[in-house]
Amino acid sequence: MKYVLVSGGVISGIGKGIIASSTGLLLKTIGLKVSSIKVDPYMNVDAGTMAPTEHGEVFVLDDGGEVDLDLGNYERYLNITLTRENNITTGKIYQHVIERERKGDYLGRTVQVVPHVTDAIQDWIERVARIPVDDTNEEPDVCIIELGGTVGDIESAPFIEAMTQLRRRAGRDNFLQIHVSMILVVNGEQKTKPTQQAIRQVRSAGLLPDLIACRCPVPLEKATTDKVAMFCQVQPEQVIAVHDVSSTYHVPLLLEQQGLIPLLQSILRLDTYPISKPLITKGANIWTAWKALTSSQDFLRETVTIALVGKYTNLHDSYLSVIKSLEHAAMACAKKLNLVWVEASHLEQQTQQTAPADFHKAWTVICIAQGILVPGGFGTRGTEGMVAAAHWARTNKTPYLGICLGMQIAVIEFARNVCKLPQASSVELDERTPDPVVIFMPEIDRANLGGTMRLGIRPTHFQPGSDWSKLRALYGSLPAPTITKKSEILTNGVTNGHSVPHQSSDGSPIILERHRHRYEVNPDYIEKLATQGLTFIGKDDKGERMEIFELRDHPWYVGVQFHPEYLSRVLQPSKPYLGFLAASAGCLDEILGKAKELQNGFHLDSSMEGVKI
């Protein structure tokens, strides 16, 4: 097993995740099987209870793990399927060590950070690094480890010591460290002193960077590269310049142009590593497709404007997977995405009195947007503004996509204005509403918040008579293959990886998507909603939980209870996002006409599918 550690200095949020993902992608292009682990030094057991405005979005995995958003980058770039154990936190490690201590595993010894915590970290990494994560179902060749935070932070100390020991444990030629630092530009001059200090600090902590990735707003001058190399005691070719580019999808190209692959091959002795010819060919095909698709972005001229109406718009990372899914769909449609952020509360009537400029600005965006998207969220703030946006989209034939809360918002709007239930609402928003069209799921724990939602990948069955659906056409008209092994479905209803649930008895397609919610559409109101035209074309495997609705006489008015953004990939965009963006750009008919081609030819192999049909 080969390990590549990506650490960071000077400042947090420096781009370690993108550099780690890009490095993994380049390793895949030469035929290697790559896995990833993210280390987060915070005390939380997982990211599930953290506010999006605190730490960015919570990314959900197939197994229901609520993890750091960087694991989403790994899955999107590397086309792999990770588990909750691929995200290590201080909380998880200490919980693990304390549980072992309580069971007497340490045989009465004094339990200390060194060696017990550091050994637990190394053991965890070595075990998880060997878990298959791609369609080969084989042990990975390389594991990318991203160390979150900044070297020097007090909470990172046990992990830094563990990484120092892991280098020795892995052995010669099996461990490589990339340290990401910052080159500041002051009055036009590139300053290397922060990077020099960062390298000095990381070495004093026991780590020995093999490569230094220098982030900078502009391309590095040769004099800057030489200065970093001289004062950090590395060769100039070991200094990798990572300047700002028009798209993060260009970062792998930037690293490849600077010879990162030969450097990795040399330091890790990958030239002697056995790689099968089919994987080499597959890797080359992936790289060809990646370059062709991402490079074309710079030459796109037609723009599609999407209004994202959300609650956490002050931190765009709160909706990172949503943004990426829109980007994937825009590339597939050969359009340039113009994403405009709308704070949902600015659309509410009370804002017209308190901040009229914000009110009119927000509504101007809604009126001119080619498509309106309402993503997930929790709490009451801004929800009446979301209802207003959904009403505008429905009545003005503007393409609309509602994700999780966005679906529930559209149901509330329809119930109020079409079904003539003016006080209809969700019990999350109004516990005393006389018409609770959205309710708390009965099986959900009301006392504990962490890990208690309906989480992970679950099946959705398209309903008989839904052949007219545009979304169903994008997912495909073929039925799901029949499961032959019951072991492929776990007892909690979550499928293992990308396994496919049983075939529908009527031949309707079954799809798999990831979920994260604790509220659902009230089954008692389904008949009334459907009678008025809100058709629920997708339900869970029991036919009790509403998963998808679609308006028949609308260019695109779709709501989904799941989060399709978690399975969107660069080379195979999420179907709900693809349909939404295509409808917004006026090319949905063209995309629908190519739906079969997209399923069978757009992606490079079946493992790149977000869902199986």
Side-chain angles (χ1 to χ4, degrees):
M1 174 63 66
K2 309 284 187 179
Y3 298 98
V4 176
L5 171 65
V6 179
S7 57
V10 183
I11 60 172
S12 59
I14 202 170
K16 299 187 298 295
I18 296 299
I19 291 174
S21 301
S22 300
T23 301
L25 175 63
L26 292 179
L27 289 169
K28 285 202 74 168
T29 65
I30 61 174
L32 293 171
K33 301 181 291 293
V34 183
S35 183
S36 291
I37 293 175
K38 174 67 187 296
V39 174
D40 284 305
Y42 48 68
M43 284 297 297
N44 303 62
V45 172
D46 60 32
T49 57
M50 299 175 72
T53 51
E54 175 77 17
H55 201 67
E57 77 167 0
V58 176
F59 191 80
V60 176
L61 302 170
D62 273 11
D63 65 358
E66 297 174 288
V67 296
D68 184 83
L69 57 82
D70 277 314
L71 273 77
N73 284 326
Y74 306 154
E75 288 200 341
R76 284 187 286 268
Y77 275 67
L78 306 181
N79 192 38
I80 56 180
T81 302
L82 302 175
T83 71
R84 66 182 74 215
E85 294 201 327
N86 289 83
N87 192 190
I88 304 175
T89 69
T90 299
K92 278 184 183 178
I93 292 294
Y94 275 71
Q95 185 181 58
H96 171 74
V97 171
I98 291 170
E99 286 175 354
R100 290 194 61 194
E101 185 273 331
R102 292 289 84 188
K103 289 189 294 185
D105 289 353
Y106 297 112
L107 300 177
R109 286 173 291 179
T110 302
V111 179
Q112 298 175 293
V113 173
V114 181
H116 302 101
V117 171
T118 52
D119 282 352
I121 294 168
Q122 294 174 81
D123 293 343
W124 191 303
I125 289 173
E126 288 187 317
R127 174 176 55 83
V128 174
R130 288 176 165 77
I131 297 174
V133 294
D134 60 20
D135 60 326
T136 66
N137 202 32
E138 297 175 357
E139 180 179 307
D141 302 307
V142 183
C143 181
I144 309 291
I145 306 167
E146 181 189 347
L147 179 59
T150 305
V151 172
D153 294 344
I154 190 169
E155 61 264 28
S156 299
F159 293 102
I160 293 172
E161 176 60 28
M163 294 302 103
T164 302
Q165 295 179 21
L166 182 62
R167 178 188 280 269
R168 294 196 298 272
R169 186 187 288 195
R172 185 179 178 86
D173 304 327
N174 292 326
F175 191 98
L176 178 149
Q177 182 185 354
I178 302 173
H179 192 66
V180 186
S181 187
M182 175 66 76
I183 300 294
L184 302 179
V185 179
V186 180
N187 296 326
E189 181 182 357
Q190 296 180 355
K191 297 289 188 179
T192 66
K193 193 67 70 178
T195 293
Q196 295 177 40
Q197 295 294 336
I199 296 299
R200 185 176 295 114
Q201 185 173 31
V202 74
R203 283 178 176 158
S204 68
L207 294 173
L208 301 171
D210 300 281
L211 301 174
I212 303 172
C214 296
R215 290 280 291 108
C216 189
V218 296
L220 289 191
E221 300 167 358
K222 185 179 183 302
T224 303
T225 300
D226 291 341
K227 190 173 182 181
V228 170
M230 180 176 67
F231 284 102
C232 296
Q233 298 175 323
V234 296
Q235 296 301 314
E237 59 267 23
Q238 292 175 269
V239 180
I240 308 296
V242 190
H243 59 79
D244 291 353
V245 287
S246 58
S247 167
T248 56
Y249 303 118
H250 292 169
V251 174
L253 282 70
L254 182 63
L255 298 179
E256 189 263 350
Q257 291 164 4
Q258 296 183 71
L260 181 59
I261 292 177
L263 283 169
L264 296 172
Q265 289 174 322
S266 173
I267 297 172
L268 294 174
R269 297 296 301 274
L270 297 176
D271 52 332
T272 62
Y273 213 76
I275 306 174
S276 69
K277 288 186 177 179
L279 286 179
I280 293 175
T281 302
K282 179 181 175 182
N285 290 339
I286 289 174
W287 188 232
T288 298
W290 184 283
K291 289 191 294 184
L293 188 63
T294 58
S295 298
S296 65
Q297 284 184 290
D298 294 333
F299 303 99
L300 298 177
R301 294 292 178 265
E302 294 185 34
T303 300
V304 56
T305 300
I306 302 298
L308 190 153
V309 182
K311 300 161 63 73
Y312 319 117
T313 55
N314 58 324
L315 180 63
H316 294 178
D317 274 0
S318 300
Y319 301 109
L320 184 62
S321 291
V322 172
I323 299 169
K324 296 304 178 185
S325 299
L326 289 170
E327 291 175 351
H328 302 164
M331 285 190 284
C333 295
K335 307 296 181 185
K336 183 174 290 187
L337 176 66
N338 176 32
L339 184 60
V340 185
W341 298 85
V342 178
E343 173 58 46
S345 60
H346 290 173
L347 297 172
E348 297 176 348
Q349 286 299 318
Q350 62 185 24
T351 305
Q352 187 174 16
Q353 307 299 322
T354 59
D358 291 338
F359 176 82
H360 291 295
K361 181 180 178 180
W363 273 107
T364 298
V365 172
I366 293 296
C367 291
I368 65 175
Q370 294 168 265
I372 297 172
L373 188 149
V374 178
F378 298 94
T380 61
R381 183 179 61 82
T383 50
E384 288 303 317
M386 294 178 179
V387 170
H391 178 73
W392 172 272
R394 182 179 61 81
T395 57
N396 289 277
K397 303 294 184 181
T398 301
Y400 175 91
L401 178 61
I403 305 296
C404 196
L405 174 64
M407 170 186 172
Q408 298 168 7
I409 287 292
V411 170
I412 293 170
E413 188 280 325
F414 194 89
R416 289 179 182 177
N417 297 302
V418 179
C419 299
K420 307 304 180 186
L421 302 173
Q423 298 185 69
S425 190
S426 165
V427 295
E428 179 186 15
L429 313 179
D430 181 4
E431 292 183 353
R432 293 179 292 182
T433 175
D435 290 300
V437 293
V438 177
I439 59 173
F440 199 94
M441 289 188 289
E443 72 270 27
I444 300 299
D445 187 342
R446 292 174 179 264
N448 299 301
L449 297 180
T452 59
M453 285 186 275
R454 184 171 179 250
L455 295 164
I457 199 162
R458 296 171 184 271
T460 294
H461 295 237
F462 279 102
Q463 298 301 292
S466 62
D467 305 71
W468 55 268
S469 163
K470 294 183 280 288
L471 179 58
R472 173 170 168 167
L474 284 173
Y475 272 116
S477 57
L478 296 176
T482 304
I483 278 294
T484 57
K485 296 180 181 178
K486 291 184 179 180
S487 61
E488 291 179 350
I489 301 180
L490 305 184
T491 55
N492 63 356
V494 179
T495 58
N496 187 6
H498 288 300
S499 301
V500 183
H502 61 277
Q503 181 177 344
S504 174
S505 59
D506 63 3
S508 300
I510 303 171
I511 61 172
L512 301 178
E513 293 281 5
R514 295 176 181 175
H515 293 67
R516 185 177 188 251
H517 65 111
R518 56 170 60 95
Y519 295 89
E520 64 172 332
V521 178
N522 191 340
D524 294 341
Y525 286 84
I526 300 305
E527 184 176 352
K528 188 174 186 65
L529 291 165
T531 301
Q532 296 298 320
L534 193 67
T535 307
F536 290 92
I537 61 170
K539 300 181 182 180
D540 72 348
D541 51 353
K542 296 181 179 179
E544 300 172 351
R545 191 152 281 150
M546 303 303 110
E547 295 280 3
I548 308 171
F549 78 71
E550 182 174 345
L551 281 186
R552 192 166 189 164
D553 58 346
H554 196 284
W556 184 273
Y557 197 85
V558 172
V560 294
Q561 186 58 71
F562 47 80
H563 288 263
E565 63 268 20
Y566 293 144
L567 285 175
S568 187
R569 301 290 185 262
V570 177
L571 299 178
Q572 196 200 9
S574 159
K575 299 300 190 294
Y577 282 92
L578 177 61
F580 166 66
L581 195 128
S584 302
C587 61
L588 180 58
D589 289 341
E590 179 184 353
I591 293 296
L592 287 171
K594 294 181 179 179
K596 191 170 183 179
E597 176 187 342
L598 285 169
Q599 290 169 303
N600 298 328
F602 184 74
H603 56 275
L604 296 171
D605 59 76
S606 61
S607 71
M608 302 188 91
E609 291 186 312
V611 286
K612 300 287 188 182
I613 57 172

